[in-house]
């Protein structure tokens, strides 16, 4: 199995990026950016490939966010996910899934 390295924080840190991140609101529920991705086939496969610990952590964050949303509350500010500390835990798995799909499509196109 490949050695996956999740990226912590943004690729480029900017005031506009930080503003957009904070305005999105998902960080107030303790969610990471990767928790909020639209779940297409590639994302679903990447989530399926997550190690059990990451998968359980993801599910906990999502369930906590759903509970907070239903109760119309948010986490205390010190528990919000910070822009610089947001872990892109799904990115390496998603990149692999997309690469495999593109290779498969290329193979099917040529054969």
């Amino acid at each position: 199995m490949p050695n996956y390295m999740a990226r912590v924080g943004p690729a480029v840190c900017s005031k506009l990026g930080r503003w957009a991140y904070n305005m999105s609101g998902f960080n107030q529920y303790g969610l990471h950016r990767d928790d909020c991705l639209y779940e297409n086939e590639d994302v679903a496969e990447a989530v399926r490939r997550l190690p059990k610990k990451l998968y359980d952590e993801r599910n906990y964050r999502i369930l906590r966010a759903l509970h907070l949303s239903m109760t119309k509350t948010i986490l205390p500010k010190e528990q919000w996910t910070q822009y610089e500390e947001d872990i892109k835990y799904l990115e390496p798995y998603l990149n692999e899934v997309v690469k495999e799909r593109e290779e498969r499509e290329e193979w099917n196109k040529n054969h």
Side-chain angles (χ1 to χ4, degrees), residues 13-62:
C13 199
S14 70
K15 288 184 180 185
L16 179 60
R18 181 188 321 278
W19 177 82
Y21 183 87
N22 289 326
M23 290 303 293
S24 67
F26 65 83
N27 64 323
Q28 298 174 9
Y29 294 105
L31 293 171
H32 294 281
R33 180 191 64 102
D34 287 352
D35 296 333
C36 303
L37 293 176
Y38 174 75
E39 197 156 323
N40 58 22
E41 290 178 16
D42 292 340
V43 172
E45 177 61 22
V47 168
R48 190 189 67 75
R49 294 182 185 190
L50 285 173
K52 182 167 176 37
K53 183 177 186 304
L54 286 177
Y55 184 78
D56 290 344
E57 289 171 352
R58 177 181 196 270
N59 284 339
Y60 173 78
R61 285 191 303 272
I62 291 171

Side-chain angles (χ1 to χ4, degrees), residues 100-111:
E100 288 173 4
R101 179 182 46 79
E102 289 170 349
E103 287 176 5
R104 194 169 38 255
E105 289 171 355
E106 185 67 28
W107 173 266
N108 290 336
K109 188 169 65 172
N110 292 329
H111 288 87

Side-chain angles (χ1 to χ4, degrees), residues 69-86:
S69 178
M70 287 188 307
T71 58
K72 299 189 183 323
T73 58
I74 59 174
L75 291 171
K77 192 161 187 155
E78 60 272 1
Q79 293 181 22
W80 291 7
T81 306
Q82 298 301 311
Y83 179 64
E84 298 82 9
E85 298 167 0
D86 191 356

